Amino acid sequence: MSSEPKGSTPGSINPPNQLTRVNTLPNAEFTIPPADTLSQCRSVPTHSADALASASSKENQRSATATGNEKPHQPHDEESQSTTSTSTTSLNDAVTYPEGGLRAWSVVLGSFLGLVAALGMMNTVGIYHAYIAEHFLQDYTESTISWIFSMYVFLSFFCGLQIGPIFDAHGPRYLVLAGSILLCASMFLLGLCTLYWHFFLVFGVLGGLGTSLIFTPAFAAISHFFLEKRGNATGLAAAGGALGGVIFPLTLEKLLPAVGFAWATRVIAFITLFCCIGACVLIRSRLPPKAGQSVLPDFRIFRQRSYLLLTVGIFMMEWALFIPITFLTTFATSTGALSPAFSYQLLAIFNAGSCAGRWVPGFLADKFGRFNSMIAALAICSATSLTFWLPASLLTPDTPAAATAVKALSIIYAVTFGFASGSNISLTPVCVGQLCDTSVYGRYYATCYTIVSFSTLTGIPIAGALIQAAGGHYWAVVVWTAVCYVVGSLCFVWSRALQVGWKMGVKF
């Protein structure tokens, strides 16, 4: 037996103080140092590890799930520079997912309850906007009032920049608890507000921070328990936000004229408290924190072009999404074709459609592809805005027939757009997860929505300015909404093409 064998088999023992040349990939080779030298050298050449990671990434793309871990962009620290045996083991060890069971579905229930409170409040901003503008802030312009609600939505997403990495490193328990305290405090204090700065701080700032602390962990925790069924599970949880968007407007519509603003908002606060308690008890994580995980954001992940295009697509989508949610009630009231009471119910109708729209696309996404389902939903959003809302905004209800047409178009739009836009919330986390490894999902999702949050900050005030520029008419806002959805859908198509090509028949 020669001292330098020409080939080595797995598990063979090499003589001490000798180096073994291992060829694992064409044109890629690396050296395993003998055991007695490992203690003297903490790092080894990383070229071979990079080659293995590249091959693993390509293999994962063929399985319709990208890793998102681009080795050339990782820092060469002690955590990333491992021995060959450690690198090979980590690449071959696959993370498993329960895909069901009592513990997994209890997390979905906890996320559902948390999103009833957090996204339920977000889906009711149109009611608060209409009532506060009419009864408390009559002397302020539409655009100025809109900053209260745009700040709320902005903070709900922007704070995920830090919340996502903290979730990756420490789990959801304290995040959800802090968010529950802030969100419930916001709802209980809202009934005491009378001035502009009161509403801005209590609803915009305090409510936005509380929503963010619940919103990000609620979605991220589900990714620890589901992979193949992630779209379905996320859709079920996201339906909680739509259900809250049905319960809260109907509750306010009944209680505001009966008991007044203060007690109506307190009733909402007690419902929020109940849901937050369930979320604190049930939402948990499963996968261990990533070794050496930092809680600082890393914008280098935007070097992945597919992920960059996905972020731009979500930015355009969110620029448009909150316009109907915020202004559908005021639009209906301004036409005169719908009574104020029914205008409040219109948002509940919208969220009823969204409730089904958050679960059904998620269920279909697991069968036909997450990106495929999202692209179809975005196309429907733009089409319904131009087909139903635009004619309703252009018609003048000066005759009974015209008034009936405006009312019918508004109701049809609320149902169809509500259903199609439901996936804007439920499928977005799943699409982000399609382009990254689960261990860094919180960082990817939070970094994406840190950028996207600026669209939610500016989208509502832009819409308010467009209404003023159009003399109180809504046709300009409708066109802006449709254009944003068209651009967003094109970005999703391009991002998908970079992963699996331009053939739409491929499941992705």
Side-chain angles (χ1 to χ4, degrees):
M1 181 176 180
S2 62
S3 61
E4 293 186 1
K6 294 182 178 179
S8 297
T9 58
S12 62
I13 301 175
N14 301 308
N17 300 323
Q18 291 189 6
L19 303 181
T20 300
R21 186 76 63 184
V22 181
N23 290 323
T24 57
L25 294 173
N27 301 323
E29 61 181 20
F30 56 91
T31 300
I32 302 177
D36 60 350
T37 59
L38 286 176
S39 60
Q40 301 175 12
C41 181
R42 297 295 305 276
S43 63
V44 297
T46 59
H47 300 291
S48 58
D50 290 345
L52 280 172
S54 176
S56 175
S57 177
K58 292 178 181 177
E59 181 63 28
N60 283 339
Q61 280 193 12
R62 286 194 288 270
S63 64
T65 304
T67 65
N69 291 331
E70 297 177 45
K71 289 286 184 180
H73 305 316
Q74 291 185 347
H76 293 273
D77 55 14
E78 292 183 357
E79 294 295 338
S80 63
Q81 298 174 337
S82 60
T83 64
T84 303
S85 58
T86 304
S87 300
T88 306
T89 301
S90 64
L91 286 169
N92 291 335
D93 286 344
V95 177
T96 59
Y97 298 83
E99 301 292 351
L102 179 61
R103 188 182 180 196
W105 287 113
S106 67
V107 172
V108 175
L109 176 59
S111 297
F112 179 92
L113 292 173
L115 294 175
V116 167
L119 293 189
M121 183 175 175
M122 186 178 293
N123 289 329
T124 314
V125 293
I127 302 296
Y128 291 115
H129 179 275
Y131 191 88
I132 291 172
E134 182 180 355
H135 293 86
F136 294 101
L137 305 178
Q138 305 94 323
D139 297 332
Y140 291 84
T141 65
E142 189 75 40
S143 181
T144 303
I145 297 172
S146 296
W147 280 106
I148 297 172
F149 306 99
S150 65
M151 178 56 67
Y152 164 78
V153 180
F154 168 73
L155 289 177
S156 297
F157 293 124
F158 177 78
C159 293
L161 171 65
Q162 194 65 28
I163 293 171
I166 292 174
F167 171 89
D168 288 338
H170 304 292
R173 184 173 302 276
Y174 294 109
L175 292 173
V176 176
L177 177 61
S180 298
I181 293 172
L182 293 179
L183 188 62
C184 292
S186 173
M187 286 290 93
F188 279 110
L189 291 173
L190 186 60
L192 304 177
C193 298
T194 56
L195 303 177
Y196 181 89
W197 68 271
H198 294 168
F199 291 107
F200 190 89
L201 291 179
V202 171
F203 193 98
V205 177
L206 195 62
L209 291 174
T211 297
S212 182
L213 286 163
I214 298 174
F215 173 73
T216 302
F219 280 124
I222 294 174
S223 69
H224 281 218
F225 294 86
F226 296 89
L227 180 63
E228 295 297 327
K229 299 179 181 179
R230 186 177 293 174
N232 182 40
T234 305
L236 286 171
L243 180 62
V246 174
I247 295 173
F248 293 171
L250 292 179
T251 302
L252 290 172
E253 188 264 329
K254 293 294 183 183
L255 293 181
L256 283 173
V259 299
F261 182 75
W263 272 106
T265 53
R266 288 185 189 121
V267 171
I268 299 297
F270 281 112
I271 298 173
T272 301
L273 177 62
F274 170 79
C275 293
C276 286
I277 290 173
C280 290
V281 172
L282 296 175
I283 295 178
R284 63 179 69 88
S285 58
R286 182 182 68 92
L287 300 178
K290 186 182 178 184
Q293 179 73 30
S294 170
V295 297
L296 297 176
D298 185 2
F299 289 99
R300 290 177 296 175
I301 59 179
F302 285 118
R303 294 175 183 175
Q304 185 182 345
R305 286 198 301 159
S306 182
Y307 179 76
L308 175 62
L309 284 167
L310 173 65
T311 303
V312 175
I314 297 173
F315 185 99
M316 299 303 298
M317 178 192 75
E318 296 287 355
W319 226 351
L321 173 61
F322 288 97
I323 292 175
I325 293 175
T326 305
F327 291 101
L328 194 58
T329 299
T330 56
F331 162 75
T333 304
S334 69
T335 61
L338 291 83
S339 65
F342 191 81
S343 298
Y344 280 47
Q345 296 173 11
L346 193 63
L347 191 59
I349 294 172
F350 173 94
N351 284 305
S354 182
C355 191
R358 297 192 182 190
W359 172 69
V360 174
F363 176 78
L364 296 176
D366 290 335
K367 295 182 178 295
F368 302 106
R370 286 78 182 263
F371 270 72
N372 295 346
S373 298
M374 178 64 95
I375 291 168
L378 294 177
I380 295 173
C381 287
S382 56
T384 54
S385 296
L386 293 174
T387 305
F388 301 119
W389 198 14
L390 183 59
S393 65
L394 293 174
L395 284 174
T396 303
D398 50 3
T399 64
T404 301
V406 170
K407 185 175 182 178
L409 288 169
S410 300
I411 295 172
I412 294 172
Y413 176 72
V415 174
T416 55
F417 183 85
F419 177 82
S421 64
S423 62
N424 296 178
I425 297 294
S426 63
L427 285 185
T428 300
V430 185
C431 289
V432 173
Q434 192 93 346
L435 301 181
C436 70
D437 186 80
T438 304
S439 63
V440 292
Y441 173 79
R443 180 184 299 277
Y444 269 65
Y445 184 72
T447 304
C448 169
Y449 265 92
T450 299
I451 303 300
V452 169
S453 62
F454 287 96
S455 70
T456 62
L457 176 66
T458 57
I460 299 175
I462 287 174
L466 288 173
I467 293 171
Q468 287 181 269
H473 299 289
Y474 284 75
W475 62 266
V477 166
V478 180
V479 173
W480 171 254
T481 302
V483 169
C484 289
Y485 269 113
V486 170
V487 176
S489 62
L490 292 176
C491 290
F492 268 85
V493 170
W494 194 356
S495 174
R496 176 190 178 279
L498 290 176
Q499 293 292 325
V500 295
W502 293 98
K503 292 183 179 179
M504 295 302 294
V506 178
K507 178 182 176 181
F508 186 77

